Amino acid sequence: MKEAVQVAVLIPSVVRAGSLQGEAYYYSVPSHLQDGVQIGKRVLIPFKNRKALGFIIGFGKPPEGLSLKEIIDIVDEEPLFDEWRHEFLKWVSNYYMTPLGIVLKAAHPGGLGVSLKKVIKITEKGVNLLNKDKLSEPERLILKTLSISGVVTVRKLFNLVEGGKYEILNSLRRRGLVDFSYELRSNPKIKHEKVIIAAERVHLGRKWGSDNAKKSAIKSQILNYVIEHGRVPYSNIKEMFGDVSRHIKWLESKGYIIVEYHEVTRDPFSEITIQEDKPPYLTPDQERAFERIREAIGRGRFSAFLLHGVTGSGKTEVYLRVIGEVIKIGKEAIVLVPEISLTPQLVKRFKGRFGNKVAVIHSALSDGERFDAWRMARRGDVKIIIGARSAIFAPFRNLGIVVVDEEHEQSYKQDESPRYNARDLALVLGKKINGVVLLGSATPSVESYANALKEKFTYISLPLRVENRMLPYVKVVDMRGEGGGIFSKRLEERIIENYKTRMQTILFLNRRGFSTLIVCPGCGKSLLCPNCSINLTYHIKEDSLMCHYCGISEKFLKSCRNCSGTLKKLGMGTQKIEEEIKRILPEASVARMDRDTVSGKIKLFDLYRKLEKGEIDVLIGTQMVAKGHDLPGVTLVGVILADLALGIPDFRAGERTFQLITQVAGRAGRGDHTGKVIVQTYNPEHPSIRFAVEQDSISFLNQELQLREELGYPPFSKLINLKFEGKDEYETSKTSKEAGVTARRLLSKFPISVIQILGPSPSPIYRVRNRFRWHMLIKSANVNILHKFSKQLINVFHTAKGIGGINVSIDVDPLSFM
């Protein structure tokens, strides 16, 4: 008999209840549940004043004198993770200093068949008060709904009243008129399809009894259709014959057909036409890369490779070949991509080569589609999972390789807890499975390149494009002499010329919207977001002002709120570029690729279809257009404002500028025609822009390494950023400063000069979603000491002070563990 189980609770607020490291809670197991208790299963538990879901993560004897509550129920028939995945997830929790419950929640698709709903019911006191004149109209409406319906979810009640919803419900609860509780509800995501099958013995000559001739004819047609096809989805029959429910019931009752329900897998890429992808001949460089990685696969030990290939050098073909080798020996593969916009092309290539062995996991899919992909991976029905960062948690049982495409991309970093970097986790996962990790990029990150120089990664170069194609010709335009327009004379001429020759153009600007600054010339005031310390952006299509941080949207009023003067639109975004192109080329087909236009997979598929068919002449986009797209018709790329990111207060700003320019330039000339790139800039002498124009990654990386070493920044040091957020400005500032004092006191327990503390100070964007933000940077060359210090700091600070409504989070810099 198991004396007690340890449970990791899936409630983010638990972080604020104790240390940031979190803790497991002990529960006893009632006798009728003893046989079902296993590590990896979810359980329903009483937690404080509510019910909660948690994962069983261990067994053990609880501390002396601790009174245990019993688990209420076991949710899962089988564990959701095995022993090695459990160890991996514990590593993530420990390294990123995040409670294991939050890591477990992030690692599994939402719901997984059940959900815990907050419900409300009316009390006897509430019933008695319902007909008295002591209630406001919203309160009366809520109580009346509860008296009729019994138990109602919070969401349904919220739809009844406007404003102050939580306050009204909490007031009713305090007065004893309603009770809150939590219910476990089945939320099955398994999809079933109704299938009609012809019975073994069907007598077509049978008379149809008393049915009229028309009905008999329809029944006969349906039956013949089913016999012809053997087994037919009910939806197909309905599409062919209309409403057939009565006829199907009759045919089933007479024994002509059998009705079954089959589990079906949702395929988010069913609308994409897949053609067989025959392996091309490898270039000598590709062949050498493939052979080196294949040898590592055969050795069965952890090996990490950095595949540094120029744009168009055939990195994807290398991925396909080595994954094919992994599948041959009965193992599985995860392929990470930085943007969902990359997946349609990649899926076409992989499905063309490996057929139905491929599934996809990313945020643009529905919950059901992600759930199906997760289950297929767990059951071994697929051998390859392609997806954005969360795909690193795919539950393969025999993983052999993890490929990280565009490994330099910052989008592999999660911005909310757990703040993991998927590229880094790929390396950790590779070590745990004794597998191969393949990092690919045309512009490797400084950290990965440094690891290659130290021979922690095996460096492989693909210096030439496939089929002897030339790298694009790149020209810099100094905008200081161009008069302040959007397009330089040279770029405008090339856009028109490219359109006339029926070639495609990509224009890159890493800003959404139409105008990024709305200002009053009279009083000088600019329009700021009421929730964030950031300018509102004007969107011309909606004629509205939007904040790209909190999402608020409001109608654009042309008059200044301060002095009633006429507002002026300054700055530019992708919408403004679109308007200018339509003015220059009114007959051209123009499209945008940014978060405003590509918000789901259907829009994304449609855009790709048009691009591949040549139906779009000019594509305008943000960083989405800079990533890995292979569009042979694109012969011109225009970088509208190359130095946009250089002013960001981040030591990686130069690196990101170089990467973006190089990557977007690489979209040109991937077909039979030579590509041209025009880079507009106000800083043509800046090293990031100069090296990008020369397409010289190695020189840039070597210079950047030298600069980082002089300044003591990664990879020559490790960083942890302690972040403080709160609704109260004074309390947030006070808490962060007290944390700074505590940190400096704690320094005395560590070797002198090993740890450096910078701050605390206000964050560059001080307020987001009405939460004030401070941060404190902790730096050290010794990662073990850095982690030890950070954990002690958090625990001391929590014990001494608590955090009283201030959210404290930890951001660990990439590749700190290498």
Side-chain angles (χ1 to χ4, degrees):
M1 178 175 285
K2 298 174 178 69
E3 187 175 349
V5 293
Q6 293 172 297
V7 177
V9 184
L10 308 182
I11 304 175
S13 60
V14 172
V15 178
R16 294 190 287 272
S19 73
L20 279 186
Q21 188 58 20
E23 57 182 305
Y25 295 84
Y26 284 93
Y27 286 86
S28 62
V29 184
S31 57
H32 68 283
L33 296 178
Q34 284 282 337
D35 292 341
V37 171
Q38 283 180 273
I39 291 175
K41 288 186 177 181
R42 287 172 299 168
V43 288
L44 183 65
I45 54 172
F47 187 76
K48 298 186 177 178
N49 61 345
R50 59 173 288 183
K51 295 176 184 175
L53 284 172
F55 275 96
I56 298 175
I57 58 170
F59 307 103
K61 188 176 180 181
E64 288 286 336
L66 188 64
S67 177
L68 300 186
K69 296 179 180 179
E70 288 186 341
I71 61 173
I72 300 169
D73 201 0
I74 299 172
V75 174
D76 304 301
E77 293 183 9
E78 298 290 334
L80 298 185
F81 51 81
D82 53 22
E83 186 176 346
W84 77 261
R85 284 194 77 233
H86 185 205
E87 290 301 314
F88 171 60
L89 295 169
K90 284 197 295 185
W91 187 95
V92 176
S93 170
N94 180 63
Y95 181 74
Y96 291 103
M97 292 174 260
T98 303
L100 183 56
I102 294 178
V103 173
L104 289 167
K105 189 173 183 180
H108 295 88
L112 274 178
V114 296
S115 59
L116 201 59
K117 297 289 185 183
K118 188 176 184 178
V119 296
I120 301 176
K121 62 181 179 181
I122 191 169
T123 63
E124 188 177 343
K125 184 178 178 182
V127 173
N128 294 334
L129 197 65
L130 185 57
N131 297 319
K132 298 182 180 178
D133 297 329
K134 295 183 179 180
L135 298 169
S136 66
E137 276 307 309
E139 289 175 337
R140 189 181 306 280
L141 182 59
I142 288 172
L143 291 180
K144 188 174 181 180
T145 301
L146 289 172
S147 68
I148 296 170
S149 304
V151 176
V152 179
T153 63
V154 172
R155 179 176 293 182
K156 184 175 180 181
L157 289 180
F158 274 10
N159 293 331
L160 296 175
V161 294
E162 297 290 334
K165 300 170 183 179
Y166 276 113
E167 289 79 3
I168 294 170
L169 291 177
N170 286 330
S171 173
L172 291 171
R173 186 186 188 188
R174 284 194 300 271
R175 287 144 58 193
L177 306 182
V178 298
D179 274 341
F180 292 2
S181 62
Y182 296 84
E183 290 185 358
L184 190 66
R185 296 193 173 185
S186 177
N187 182 27
K189 288 187 169 63
I190 298 173
K191 183 179 179 181
H192 289 90
E193 182 179 56
K194 189 174 181 179
V195 179
I196 311 302
I197 304 169
E200 288 186 14
R201 294 180 181 178
V202 178
H203 304 287
L204 294 178
R206 173 168 177 159
K207 297 188 180 296
W208 301 98
S210 59
D211 280 9
N212 61 45
K214 185 177 179 181
K215 286 184 179 179
S216 297
I218 293 173
K219 289 183 176 71
S220 181
Q221 289 171 22
I222 293 171
L223 186 56
N224 285 330
Y225 183 76
V226 174
I227 293 169
E228 183 182 346
H229 292 85
R231 47 200 314 124
V232 186
Y234 177 78
S235 56
N236 290 13
I237 297 174
K238 192 174 179 182
E239 186 178 332
M240 285 286 295
F241 301 102
D243 184 8
V244 294
S245 55
R246 288 176 299 163
H247 303 308
I248 293 294
K249 286 179 181 177
W250 189 90
L251 289 167
E252 183 184 19
S253 68
K254 301 298 183 182
Y256 291 112
I257 62 171
I258 299 167
V259 178
E260 293 183 352
Y261 290 86
H262 295 174
E263 182 181 332
V264 293
T265 301
R266 285 154 284 212
D267 182 4
F269 293 88
S270 58
E271 295 182 15
I272 292 182
T273 302
I274 305 296
Q275 296 178 343
E276 185 182 354
D277 183 68
K278 294 182 179 179
Y281 290 109
L282 296 179
T283 66
D285 291 325
Q286 286 176 314
E287 187 70 50
R288 281 190 289 271
F290 170 56
E291 288 299 332
R292 293 190 72 179
I293 300 166
R294 181 165 66 174
E295 287 173 10
I297 292 169
R299 286 194 297 269
R301 298 196 304 268
F302 168 67
S303 301
F305 294 88
L306 177 59
L307 182 63
H308 180 190
V310 298
T311 56
S313 60
K315 293 185 290 295
T316 303
E317 183 58 36
V318 176
Y319 303 160
L320 289 162
R321 294 294 180 97
V322 297
I323 288 172
E325 293 299 307
V326 168
I327 291 174
K328 281 180 186 177
I329 60 174
K331 294 192 174 184
E332 300 141 342
I334 294 174
V335 181
L336 298 180
V337 292
E339 292 271 0
I340 62 169
S341 60
L342 278 181
T343 49
Q345 277 198 325
L346 212 59
V347 168
K348 284 183 73 172
R349 289 285 304 275
F350 273 79
K351 278 186 173 273
R353 189 72 60 87
F354 299 111
N356 292 327
K357 294 176 182 177
V358 182
V360 179
I361 295 177
H362 63 64
S363 59
L365 305 183
S366 67
D367 286 347
E369 288 166 340
R370 286 198 298 272
F371 175 67
D372 283 352
W374 188 89
R375 288 178 75 239
M376 285 192 292
R378 187 162 176 261
R379 294 184 310 201
D381 295 343
V382 295
K383 296 297 181 183
I384 303 166
I385 286 287
I386 301 174
R389 58 179 176 261
S390 62
I392 193 64
F393 297 115
F396 280 133
R397 300 179 190 271
N398 197 19
L399 185 64
I401 188 170
V402 183
V403 175
V404 185
D405 191 29
E406 310 292 358
E407 67 84 23
H408 64 277
E409 274 295 331
Q410 66 187 93
S411 57
Y412 282 126
K413 182 75 167 64
Q414 173 115 325
D415 289 333
E416 57 189 29
S417 190
R419 297 173 184 269
Y420 66 89
N421 186 300
R423 176 205 47 200
D424 296 8
L425 292 190
L427 292 161
V428 176
L429 197 53
K431 284 185 176 182
K432 290 196 175 291
I433 64 170
N434 278 321
V436 169
V437 179
L438 177 55
L439 311 179
S441 178
T443 54
S445 66
V446 173
E447 290 82 4
S448 292
Y449 181 65
N451 279 318
L453 291 179
K454 296 173 188 173
E455 298 185 351
K456 292 182 177 180
F457 299 165
T458 300
Y459 179 84
I460 303 175
S461 177
L462 299 178
L464 301 174
R465 283 189 162 184
V466 297
E467 298 180 5
N468 296 316
R469 291 174 185 150
M470 299 294 294
L471 285 168
Y473 167 76
V474 184
K475 175 68 177 177
V476 174
V477 176
D478 188 345
M479 294 299 285
R480 290 174 292 190
E482 289 290 331
I486 294 175
F487 300 133
S488 62
K489 183 180 178 182
R490 178 184 291 268
L491 179 55
E492 185 169 332
E493 288 174 352
R494 293 293 178 271
I495 292 170
I496 294 170
E497 179 186 308
N498 218 45
Y499 172 68
K500 287 180 178 178
T501 56
R502 304 183 68 82
M503 292 288 109
Q504 292 174 300
T505 298
I506 288 178
L507 298 176
F508 168 69
L509 178 67
N510 208 19
R511 276 183 180 166
R512 290 187 290 145
F514 187 87
S515 296
T516 52
L517 177 64
I518 310 297
V519 68
C520 175
C523 65
K525 295 280 187 181
S526 60
L527 293 188
L528 296 173
C529 173
N531 304 323
C532 312
S533 53
I534 202 79
N535 289 313
L536 290 170
T537 299
Y538 175 67
H539 287 245
I540 192 169
K541 185 178 179 181
E542 301 83 4
D543 193 28
S544 65
L545 296 171
M546 292 180 64
C547 175
H548 293 165
Y549 283 81
C550 71
I552 191 175
S553 177
E554 58 184 54
K555 190 71 176 173
F556 175 60
L557 302 176
K558 297 179 180 179
S559 299
C560 175
R561 299 165 184 166
N562 187 52
C563 70
S564 300
T566 302
L567 294 171
K568 190 172 183 179
K569 305 184 191 83
L570 302 176
M572 59 180 167
T574 48
Q575 286 186 347
K576 196 166 190 175
I577 307 302
E578 183 181 17
E579 288 294 306
E580 187 67 7
I581 287 294
K582 288 178 178 178
R583 183 189 67 78
I584 297 169
L585 295 171
E587 301 298 319
S589 172
V590 184
R592 280 188 293 119
M593 182 186 280
D594 56 31
R595 288 185 185 176
D596 296 326
T597 58
V598 186
S599 55
K601 65 177 186 292
I602 302 300
K603 292 180 179 178
L604 185 60
F605 295 165
D606 186 56
L607 179 60
Y608 267 110
R609 181 185 57 79
K610 290 178 180 177
L611 283 167
E612 289 177 336
K613 288 185 175 181
E615 295 175 7
I616 293 171
D617 300 309
V618 182
L619 177 67
I620 301 156
T622 57
Q623 61 184 354
M624 280 184 167
V625 302
K627 315 290 176 60
H629 309 301
D630 192 357
L631 300 167
V634 174
T635 56
L636 175 65
V637 168
V639 180
I640 305 301
L641 193 55
D643 24 25
L644 193 61
L646 290 175
I648 297 172
D650 186 341
F651 70 91
R652 289 191 174 94
E655 179 185 5
R656 287 172 183 158
T657 297
F658 169 80
Q659 289 165 347
L660 273 173
I661 296 171
T662 304
Q663 290 284 345
V664 75
R667 299 317 104 206
R670 298 171 78 98
D672 297 330
H673 301 274
T674 304
K676 297 183 182 69
V677 181
I678 295 176
V679 178
Q680 299 184 160
T681 175
Y682 289 92
N683 295 279
E685 301 86 10
H686 194 284
S688 297
I689 293 172
R690 181 165 49 83
F691 284 123
V693 168
E694 295 168 0
Q695 301 175 76
D696 188 353
S697 291
I698 295 296
S699 295
F700 170 78
L701 289 165
N702 287 331
Q703 179 173 302
E704 189 71 10
L705 276 171
Q706 184 180 344
L707 181 62
R708 300 270 186 96
E709 187 173 19
E710 291 171 1
L711 297 173
Y713 277 111
F716 301 98
S717 67
K718 315 298 180 183
L719 299 176
I720 285 180
N721 195 8
L722 206 58
K723 299 180 177 181
F724 305 84
E725 291 186 11
K727 291 184 178 180
D728 187 291
E729 183 174 15
Y730 172 76
E731 285 298 326
T732 307
S733 168
K734 180 183 174 186
T735 300
S736 64
K737 290 174 181 177
E738 287 176 350
V741 172
T742 304
R744 287 175 171 85
R745 284 178 186 159
L746 192 61
L747 274 179
S748 62
K749 298 181 180 180
F750 289 81
I752 298 172
S753 302
V754 171
I755 295 172
Q756 184 181 0
I757 297 172
L758 304 175
S761 61
S763 297
I765 300 177
Y766 181 50
R767 183 166 58 107
V768 174
R769 295 185 179 91
N770 275 324
R771 296 183 70 86
F772 298 92
R773 313 193 315 165
W774 284 66
H775 64 159
M776 180 168 66
L777 204 63
I778 308 171
K779 184 162 71 167
S780 177
N782 188 312
V783 66
N784 294 324
I785 290 179
L786 181 65
H787 265 68
K788 185 177 179 181
F789 175 83
S790 300
K791 289 174 182 178
Q792 286 190 24
L793 170 62
I794 291 299
N795 287 330
V796 168
F797 186 56
H798 272 278
T799 302
K801 177 69 184 172
I803 47 180
I806 308 302
N807 183 26
V808 184
S809 60
I810 291 178
D811 210 344
V812 182
D813 203 59
L815 288 174
S816 292
F817 58 87
M818 293 298 293

